[in-house]
Amino acid sequence: MNPFQINESKETVFSPVSTDRVPPRPPGPPEKSPPKICGTNYPLSVAFIVVNEFCERFSYYGMKAVLTLYFLYFLHWDEDTSTSVYHAFSSLCYFTPILGAAIADSWLGKFKVLAVIGLSLIALGTGGIKPCVAAFGGDQFEEKHAEERTRYFSVFYLSINAGSLISTFITPMLRGDIQCFGEDCYALAFGIPGLLMVIALVVFTMGSKMYRKPPPEGNIVAQVVKCIWFAISNRFKNRSGDIPKRQHWLDWAAEKYSKQLVTDVKALTRILFLYIPLPMFWALLDQQGSRWTLQATRMDRNLGFFVLQPDQMQVLNPLLVLVFIPLFDLVIYRLVSKCGINFSSIRKMAVGMILACLAFAVAAAVEIKIDEMAPPKAGPREIFLQVLNLADDEVKVTVLGDNNNYLLEESIKSFQKTPHYSKLHLNTKSQDFHFHLKYHNFSVYTEHSVEEKNWYSLILHGNEKNISSMLVKDEENKTTNGMPAVRFVNTLHKDVNISLGKDVALSVGAAYGVSPYRAVERGEYPAVHFRMEDKDLYLNLGRLDFGAAYLFVITNSTNQVPKTWKMEDMTASKMSIAWQLPQYALVTAGEVMFSVTGLEFSYAQAPSSMKSVLQAAWLLTVAFGNIIVLVVAQLSSLVQWAEFILFSCLLLVVCLLFSIMGYYYVPVKSEDIQGPEDKQIPHIQGNMINLETKNTKL
């Protein structure tokens, strides 16, 4: 059989066309150049995009800055739950970009997604904004201005961190320095970022007429998935050894899909494979807002000239980014280049990972030092007990267990606090302790029940004729947000009402009533107002410092004027928050080398039809990084410093893996990823005869 046998009729007509009768096709009108910024090659439209990104990032990071402490102190969740929910929210914000990218590239286009979805509904809008805004800014540049486009990504990242810098400095102040209903003003801390999101919408729409708006190119996500699936299924169907192998497994999709699409999908899968190790970096970086903020609550935040809120320490990250980006771009990278070192994008990202490893090693060292200064925690079948002798003479206290075994025995003078909490072991989770109190010439036996993992104060009071005791359960976390905490014991026979500030008031019952702990602002309290019946009196509480928990016993003095006896239940924080500076500097340097490079790398390596998809895939690595933290927080039983070491070691292993993968990665050149519409077909002019093909069928 002749393979070239013709099975149907066809008509092929070649008609000569004289150049005298048909003039050559005139070239199309040149594309109008967009307005530029002050005579530069930067389109004016990117200014609106950058300002929009600043406002949107102010909103996002401002709200996120106070989120962990909101969970911990307003909703009263524990540290692990607060950390888990924080990272679950962050993960969700970075998962939705894949949906936003699909809608942008296939349906609405980047501009409409940003304006309609991204900025109208913040919860879902994060997914519309993140994959589109960076790529949309890149779309504003012509191909001949590739160098300016590269620098745009640095400016774009600067706008992100400028918004983050201001918001992470201001919103903690709105939360901590302003009182709403007697508590930290979370309503204002969340409300101001919401207002900035409205401003972002207004600014972005103002530049609508200036934007270059590439039309959506079809449901590219669906095309990619179908192309990959067809290639796999086709290869499986043709697995016979008689069928010739093909150069790439995606070449098995050539029967159904265009060569351009197959080429684009090849480039996409090569980059996605390189993204596999990246989530581990984000797992470390995003803990600045959770674990590192919780670490700051246990440190001394007085810098002498300024007192920081614990969540305000996050301001170091965007501040250092603003410093490091020009430093790296204009100084470090140029010096490395002059030394003849090929500092590729892959190498920059690998060095960024190593710097993040070092940052968490430093954080672990700081955590170990904090633990050395902090009071111990009560473990299973353990309690901590302190004895306060408010009687008028010395009392000998003996604590007996179930089998009358001696657990504690000591003599305590009048108004002498035991130097520290004593650790006592239980036989069961809850147990009755027998207390033998020897006072003057008589003894008193009493019994109190205790439960494991708790702290207790045994308060003794009486006179020459009698001795009594009361067991008070203390709060393990006495301080809130690292602020000083106070409680009062009222030995008077009348109720007292104490005012510790504008919105902090306590009522303490008569005859040895005990108040709960209340957090107050750090500072001097020389004249605290309190009212007893119809009398207005004042107490001198002295200086209250960060992280300390104080007990004040209100007693009568010789002149019938009440006075206070002050004790520290928990000593003040001695570890300065300035010790967090090295870890922030290291992780921020790593972020600049990793994240800024990754943004530009993702855009440069993306096929022209899939830039938003690849941007979303980059952001998807952030989502998986937050999931890693969530899982570790829920499942790990490690102490905090050991958890920091675990993350550091994991990233070091991942960095080695990424370096090996990057060694074999060949970057795609810009001319290799241009779509067919980007390639100019030369126009033939002259006296050549053009051939018109009509009704041709093969």
Side-chain angles (χ1 to χ4, degrees):
M1 178 179 179
N2 186 352
F4 298 101
Q5 180 180 352
I6 301 173
N7 297 322
E8 58 177 329
S9 63
K10 66 270 178 192
E11 180 184 2
T12 304
V13 180
F14 297 96
S15 59
V17 180
S18 172
T19 57
D20 296 334
R21 290 185 290 110
V22 180
R25 183 184 306 165
E31 183 180 352
K32 185 178 179 180
S33 179
K36 300 294 194 295
I37 300 176
C38 300
T40 66
N41 290 325
Y42 292 90
L44 181 60
S45 56
V46 299
F48 293 92
I49 297 174
V50 169
V51 173
N52 161 77
E53 183 66 7
F54 168 84
C55 295
E56 191 272 334
R57 292 292 87 186
F58 184 104
S59 175
Y60 176 74
Y61 285 109
M63 179 271 299
K64 197 176 177 183
V66 299
L67 201 56
T68 299
L69 298 187
Y70 173 75
F71 293 150
L72 188 66
Y73 298 126
F74 190 82
L75 299 182
H76 305 293
W77 295 348
D78 59 48
E79 291 189 0
D80 287 339
T81 302
S82 300
T83 299
S84 298
V85 176
Y86 174 89
H87 288 283
F89 168 77
S90 298
S91 178
L92 182 61
C93 287
Y94 285 94
F95 263 122
T96 50
I98 196 69
L99 175 63
I103 297 173
D105 278 341
S106 62
W107 179 32
L108 291 178
K110 299 181 187 75
F111 172 75
K112 290 182 180 178
V113 168
L114 283 167
V116 178
I117 298 177
L119 296 172
S120 299
L121 302 172
I122 298 177
L124 295 177
T126 299
I129 295 170
K130 287 182 183 295
C132 299
V133 66
F136 186 62
D139 289 340
Q140 307 305 305
F141 291 86
E142 300 168 287
E143 284 300 324
K144 61 183 179 181
H145 298 144
E147 182 179 349
E148 285 81 1
R149 183 179 61 200
T150 299
R151 294 198 178 277
Y152 154 76
F153 283 107
S154 291
V155 176
F156 176 81
Y157 208 73
L158 281 171
S159 71
I160 292 176
N161 287 277
S164 175
L165 169 67
I166 298 174
S167 63
T168 51
F169 183 78
I170 291 178
T171 51
M173 295 176 64
L174 297 175
R175 173 196 59 78
D177 295 346
I178 299 175
Q179 296 289 308
C180 296
F181 311 107
E183 296 181 323
D184 286 350
C185 196
Y186 288 100
L188 191 60
F190 290 133
I192 296 299
L195 178 61
L196 263 292
M197 183 57 78
V198 176
I199 297 175
L201 174 61
V202 173
V203 170
F204 184 75
T205 53
M206 285 173 61
S208 174
K209 295 183 179 180
M210 302 181 191
Y211 298 141
R212 294 179 64 191
K213 306 171 187 175
E217 303 179 17
N219 193 338
I220 192 65
V221 175
Q223 291 183 41
V224 169
V225 173
K226 289 178 181 179
C227 179
I228 293 174
W229 175 251
F230 182 81
I232 295 173
S233 59
N234 195 28
R235 178 66 183 93
F236 182 77
K237 293 176 183 177
N238 297 279
R239 60 186 182 276
S240 173
D242 298 333
I243 301 176
K245 294 183 178 180
R246 301 188 182 183
Q247 186 176 6
H248 193 280
W249 64 273
L250 277 168
D251 290 334
W252 290 95
E255 284 85 350
K256 186 175 181 180
Y257 294 95
S258 67
K259 181 180 178 181
Q260 183 65 40
L261 178 63
V262 173
T263 302
D264 287 353
V265 175
K266 286 180 183 179
L268 180 68
T269 54
R270 289 173 66 247
I271 302 171
L272 293 181
F273 177 73
L274 201 61
Y275 280 4
I276 293 175
L278 303 190
M280 201 67 225
F281 175 85
W282 302 112
L284 275 68
L285 183 69
D286 277 4
Q287 291 188 56
Q288 296 174 79
S290 56
R291 294 301 197 193
W292 286 15
T293 297
L294 295 175
Q295 184 185 72
T297 63
R298 302 190 296 273
M299 304 178 77
D300 182 6
R301 295 179 276 113
N302 181 23
L303 299 178
F305 59 91
F306 189 76
V307 176
L308 282 173
Q309 299 288 344
D311 41 355
Q312 218 167 17
M313 195 63 180
Q314 299 174 60
V315 78
L316 276 177
N317 176 255
L319 178 62
L320 291 174
V321 165
L322 294 175
V323 174
F324 285 167
I325 285 181
L327 176 65
F328 277 71
D329 277 349
L330 303 177
V331 180
I332 296 178
Y333 291 157
R334 293 188 180 184
L335 288 177
V336 172
S337 178
K338 287 184 178 180
C339 293
I341 300 175
N342 180 21
F343 206 23
S344 65
S345 298
I346 302 295
R347 292 178 179 177
K348 291 177 184 177
M349 295 168 70
V351 173
M353 290 181 177
I354 294 174
L355 292 174
C357 291
L358 295 175
F360 265 65
V362 173
V366 172
E367 189 71 22
I368 291 173
K369 195 66 178 177
I370 293 174
D371 289 344
E372 290 177 357
M373 300 178 178
K377 292 187 176 181
R381 298 192 178 184
E382 290 179 351
I383 68 162
F384 283 93
L385 176 71
Q386 70 169 349
V387 182
L388 306 176
N389 181 11
L390 306 184
D392 57 3
D393 205 348
E394 182 177 338
V395 179
K396 183 178 181 181
V397 179
T398 304
V399 183
L400 304 174
D402 286 339
N403 301 322
N404 290 327
N405 54 315
Y406 284 80
L407 300 177
L408 178 67
E409 184 176 17
E410 58 185 332
S411 296
I412 306 171
K413 295 180 180 180
S414 177
F415 282 84
Q416 174 195 348
K417 175 185 175 293
T418 50
H420 55 78
Y421 281 87
S422 299
K423 181 191 292 186
L424 304 180
H425 295 275
L426 311 181
N427 297 325
T428 58
K429 292 184 178 180
S430 61
Q431 185 176 332
D432 292 334
F433 277 175
H434 304 280
F435 295 87
H436 176 208
L437 310 177
K438 190 172 182 180
Y439 174 68
H440 289 173
N441 296 324
F442 56 89
S443 299
V444 174
Y445 290 88
T446 185
E447 185 178 288
H448 295 288
S449 296
V450 295
E451 296 179 351
E452 65 175 358
K453 299 182 181 180
N454 285 310
W455 297 61
Y456 295 93
S457 293
L458 181 68
I459 300 176
L460 310 178
H461 58 89
N463 49 38
E464 296 180 357
K465 300 179 181 179
N466 188 26
I467 184 73
S468 300
S469 66
M470 55 187 292
L471 190 68
V472 178
K473 184 177 179 180
D474 299 340
E475 300 175 37
E476 182 179 355
N477 296 320
K478 302 174 179 65
T479 63
T480 300
N481 199 14
M483 303 303 292
V486 296
R487 65 171 175 171
F488 294 85
V489 177
N490 179 20
T491 67
L492 307 178
H493 296 287
K494 297 177 181 178
D495 296 345
V496 297
N497 295 305
I498 304 170
S499 176
L500 292 165
K502 182 179 179 182
D503 296 304
V504 182
L506 285 172
S507 180
V508 191
Y512 297 93
V514 181
S515 73
Y517 282 101
R518 285 297 301 269
V520 296
E521 294 291 331
R522 170 190 174 274
E524 297 285 346
Y525 289 80
V528 172
H529 174 263
F530 84 100
R531 187 174 182 84
M532 184 174 59
E533 289 186 342
D534 56 348
K535 294 181 180 179
D536 291 318
L537 303 168
Y538 294 90
L539 299 173
N540 182 10
L541 304 185
R543 183 179 182 82
L544 307 182
D545 223 332
F546 282 121
Y550 299 93
L551 171 68
F552 294 95
V553 180
I554 304 174
T555 62
N556 268 325
S557 63
T558 54
N559 57 1
Q560 299 300 311
V561 176
K563 65 176 184 179
T564 57
W565 177 49
K566 179 181 180 181
M567 295 170 293
E568 282 191 11
D569 285 345
M570 182 185 294
T571 57
S573 301
K574 303 298 182 184
M575 189 76 172
S576 173
I577 201 171
W579 284 104
Q580 281 195 324
L581 180 59
Q583 66 199 55
Y584 271 97
L586 285 169
V587 82
T588 305
E591 180 186 3
V592 169
M593 300 192 72
F594 184 92
S595 188
V596 176
T597 305
L599 275 173
E600 196 277 331
F601 178 81
S602 295
Y603 190 91
Q605 297 295 297
S608 58
S609 62
M610 302 183 189
K611 294 190 182 296
S612 283
V613 174
L614 197 57
Q615 290 286 327
W618 169 261
L619 296 170
L620 205 59
T621 63
V622 184
F624 284 112
N626 280 274
I627 289 179
I628 293 173
V629 183
L630 189 157
V631 172
V632 172
Q634 287 297 310
L635 301 182
S636 173
S637 58
L638 298 173
V639 294
Q640 192 55 63
W641 67 265
E643 186 179 293
F644 286 155
I645 293 294
L646 172 65
F647 277 109
S648 181
C649 293
L650 287 175
L651 183 58
L652 192 60
V653 173
V654 166
C655 177
L656 179 61
L657 177 64
F658 177 75
S659 300
I660 296 173
M661 296 168 63
Y663 179 79
Y664 293 100
Y665 179 82
V666 180
V668 180
K669 298 180 181 179
S670 59
E671 58 268 21
D672 296 332
I673 60 175
Q674 289 180 350
E677 68 280 0
D678 299 325
K679 299 179 180 179
Q680 300 295 327
I681 300 176
H683 182 69
I684 300 176
Q685 298 186 18
N687 295 323
M688 297 180 62
I689 297 177
N690 297 327
L691 298 179
E692 291 184 354
T693 304
K694 301 180 180 179
N695 300 332
T696 302
K697 296 182 181 179
L698 296 180

